[in-house]
Amino acid sequence: MSYRLIVGLGNPGSEYKQTRHNIGFQVLDNFASKQGASAWSKNRNLKGDLSVFVPELDAKIYLLKPLTFMNESGVSIQKVCSYYRIPPEEVVVVYDEINLGLGEVKVSTSGGPGGHNGLSDIASRIKPTFTRFRIGIGQKTPKEMSLADYVLGKFSKEDEILISAFMERYLDCLDRLIREGADKAMIHINRKPKTKDREDGQL
């Protein structure tokens, strides 16, 4: 099975840049740049920013950043899937995960939203058979802080440095997923990085 749509979740607007909830946007921006994808184009009908690239000897893959705000991410995804006739099984969604430590990545092809409103909305609008590419942002601290305040908060300077170090790992894992498919890629991706991995961001 090949993938035709890669989605990064986040909220539009400069005030949300560098927030934990926008790690999906951040990774997709870097992935588009690394792949030499087309410039981002705002599509008002499909309610998202779109880009496209063509892997070697393969069909084109669309990249999407929904502009419907996180809680209605599924609106844009549903429209894009319908317009380009892309089944849910050929969709990858990249998003933040509080139950994974910073720098960790996990891929799955099933599972509940785990309290993530963006995932809840997507699953309500298309079949929940899309592939989940979860990027760890760590547990909220202090525990008394509301989940909304935590995910909409910005990364600390120290965490930003770590995110930059881990970015190459995120991009390599996403590229591996696209090239190898979920079953094979998960063997390599779904492991915690070793100490050295955490320092230099490499697989």
Side-chain angles (χ1 to χ4, degrees), residues 20 97-100 137-152:
R20 297 178 180 90
E97 173 59 75
I98 65 169
N99 292 316
L100 291 176
I137 60 170
Q139 292 279 354
K140 63 184 177 73
T141 54
K143 292 184 178 180
E144 295 75 22
M145 179 186 292
S146 73
L147 180 59
D149 286 344
Y150 180 71
V151 297
L152 293 177

Side-chain angles (χ1 to χ4, degrees), residues 42-114:
K42 190 183 302 295
N43 190 308
R44 297 188 183 279
N45 290 330
L46 300 181
K47 299 185 181 298
D49 279 346
L50 281 167
S51 177
V52 63
F53 74 100
V54 182
E56 188 176 356
L57 301 177
D58 207 342
K60 66 174 58 174
I61 294 178
Y62 295 95
L63 305 178
L64 170 67
K65 294 187 294 184
L67 299 179
T68 47
F69 286 94
M70 183 65 78
N71 292 358
E72 294 187 335
S73 298
V75 173
S76 178
I77 296 172
Q78 184 181 45
K79 287 179 177 293
V80 171
C81 286
S82 177
Y83 185 81
Y84 291 110
R85 297 182 180 180
I86 301 173
E89 293 79 12
E90 297 178 6
V91 177
V92 177
V93 179
V94 182
Y95 64 98
D96 55 293
E97 173 59 75
I98 65 169
N99 292 316
L100 291 176
L102 199 66
E104 294 180 27
V105 179
K106 193 166 185 178
V107 172
S108 61
T109 55
S110 63

Side-chain angles (χ1 to χ4, degrees), residues 88-89 91 93 108-110 119 122-123 126-132:
E89 293 79 12
V91 177
V93 179
S108 61
T109 55
S110 63
L119 264 287
I122 295 168
I126 66 173
K127 287 183 179 180
T129 49
F130 56 88
T131 296
R132 297 136 176 87

Side-chain angles (χ1 to χ4, degrees), residues 29 123 144 198:
D29 280 334
E144 295 75 22
R198 291 175 178 270

Side-chain angles (χ1 to χ4, degrees), residues 30-47:
N30 281 273
F31 186 73
S33 178
K34 183 175 182 179
Q35 296 294 334
S38 64
W40 290 102
S41 176
K42 190 183 302 295
N43 190 308
R44 297 188 183 279
N45 290 330
L46 300 181
K47 299 185 181 298

